[in-house]
């Protein structure tokens, strides 16, 4: 439920920022449209418009192929993550 | 001529010299097929989001170039043969918005290595002054 409340105001953040191209190498900008498990967030939660959602999903898939963003995060992989931060 | 971008991930086990050679070879593949390299962006050694061929890290290198669309299949075929490349990805920039974005990224990539050369110039200048 907390997730629902977080996205209650529905407007497209990408339209507001007037973004017409997203670079797949810029991982920080993709974080908004990814869930904790690195799934692509649905439009009904983020409020993205169709045009930007298509763009975002395309870019995320590219970033996955280039190993910038993981395809899946399982429990096995979540555990070693805190140690990465220490490095 | 169409605008393209190629991302290449080189094996992390190579030495510095071998890495440089590998990248030169990659760029040569593009130029020998009639490509014009606009800019290159060395992102350096990075951690991969998931292991590729049991490698946890990889050396990222991005090349922006223009080439005739028919040459892409040959370029990709050559990349596929190369065993030192963990992954490569070709991105096409077609419509107006994408091409303006491409130009911006080329400018950015060109400006990024500029400080290094300036430092060299400064070093040279200081050396001259020392002499």
């Amino acid at each position: 439920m907390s997730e629902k409340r977080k996205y209650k105001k529905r407007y497209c953040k990408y339209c507001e920022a007037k973004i017409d191209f997203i670079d797949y190498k810029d991982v920080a900008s993709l974080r908004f449209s990814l869930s904790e498990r690195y799934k692509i967030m649905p439009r009904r939660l983020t409020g993205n418009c169709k045009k930007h959602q298509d763009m975002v999903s395309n870019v995320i898939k590219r970033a996955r192929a280039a190993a910038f963003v993981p395809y899946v995060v399982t429990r096995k992989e979540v555990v070693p993550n805190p140690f990465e931060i220490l490095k | 001529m169409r605008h393209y971008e190629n991302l290449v991930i080189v094996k992390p086990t190579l030495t510095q010299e071998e890495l440089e050679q590998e990248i030169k070879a990659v760029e040569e593949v593009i130029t020998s097929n009639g490509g014009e390299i606009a800019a290159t962006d060395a992102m350096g050694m990075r951690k991969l989001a998931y292991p590729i061929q049991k490698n946890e890290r990889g050396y990222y290198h991005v090349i922006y170039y223009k080439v005739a669309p028919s040459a892409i299949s040959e370029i990709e075929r050559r990349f596929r043969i190369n065993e030192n490349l963990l992954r490569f990805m070709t991105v096409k920039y077609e419509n107006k918005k994408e091409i303006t974005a491409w130009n911006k990224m080329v400018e950015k990539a060109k400006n990024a290595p500029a400080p290094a050369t300036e430092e060299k110039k400064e070093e040279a200048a200081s050396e001259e002054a020392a002499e």
Side-chain angles (χ1 to χ4, degrees):
Chain A
M1 288 307 267
S2 61
E3 211 171 39
K4 246 186 186 175
R5 227 168 280 141
K6 194 176 160 190
Y7 293 101
K8 204 169 186 183
K9 246 190 177 180
R10 278 197 39 148
Y11 59 92
C12 180
K13 288 198 175 179
Y14 294 97
C15 281
E16 206 188 19
K18 288 185 181 169
I19 290 169
D20 44 358
F21 182 80
I22 309 167
D23 188 13
Y24 69 95
K25 296 188 285 299
D26 187 8
V27 182
S29 70
L30 304 177
R31 207 54 250 262
F32 170 72
S33 295
L34 287 167
S35 77
E36 288 169 12
R37 292 220 166 196
Y38 290 94
K39 292 178 178 184
I40 299 172
M41 288 296 275
R43 217 147 66 84
R44 64 167 187 276
L45 296 185
T46 56
N48 290 348
C49 68
K50 184 76 171 81
K51 189 180 107 187
H52 281 112
Q53 180 71 13
D54 285 354
M55 208 186 274
V56 161
S57 62
N58 240 330
V59 169
I60 288 172
K61 283 166 191 173
R62 263 179 203 170
R64 279 176 181 168
F68 284 120
V69 171
Y71 279 99
V72 283
V73 180
T74 58
R75 272 193 199 165
K76 276 180 195 167
E77 283 163 50
V78 171
V79 175
N81 267 344
F83 295 102
E84 279 174 27
I85 299 161
L86 286 175
K87 271 181 191 174
Chain B
M1 294 292 251
R2 209 172 266 175
H3 301 247
Y4 287 99
E5 173 194 341
N6 228 324
L7 174 96
V8 167
I9 307 179
V10 189
K11 263 189 188 174
T13 49
L14 303 178
T15 62
Q16 192 67 35
E17 289 168 11
E18 283 174 324
L19 267 176
E20 281 167 15
Q21 265 184 8
E22 202 55 53
I23 284 159
K24 259 185 198 169
V26 165
E27 285 174 0
E28 207 190 286
V29 168
I30 291 168
T31 48
S32 65
N33 282 296
E36 291 171 19
I37 293 176
T40 57
D41 180 12
M43 296 179 80
M45 204 66 95
R46 269 180 73 117
K47 209 176 170 304
L48 301 173
Y50 49 88
I52 303 175
Q53 293 172 21
K54 296 182 184 172
N55 288 302
E56 293 285 339
R57 310 162 102 245
Y59 186 86
Y60 282 74
H61 195 80
V62 184
I63 304 163
Y64 301 98
Y65 61 101
K66 280 191 217 168
V67 77
S70 54
I72 287 295
S73 58
E74 171 64 13
I75 288 170
E76 292 205 327
R77 191 186 70 85
R78 292 276 294 276
F79 283 166
R80 225 165 265 136
I81 292 166
N82 194 339
E83 282 188 356
N84 286 327
L85 302 184
L86 290 181
R87 188 69 52 102
F88 65 88
M89 196 167 72
T90 313
V91 182
K92 179 175 72 181
Y93 290 86
E94 209 166 18
N95 59 37
K96 252 186 189 175
K97 280 177 185 174
E98 285 171 351
I99 286 170
T100 51
W102 186 86
N103 285 328
K104 257 186 208 170
M105 284 194 284
V106 165
E107 283 295 306
K108 215 179 166 186
K110 270 184 186 171
N111 290 336
T117 53
E118 275 173 23
E119 275 173 21
K120 272 180 191 169
K121 273 179 196 169
E122 279 171 12
E123 278 173 19
S126 63
E127 277 172 17
E128 279 172 21
E131 279 170 21

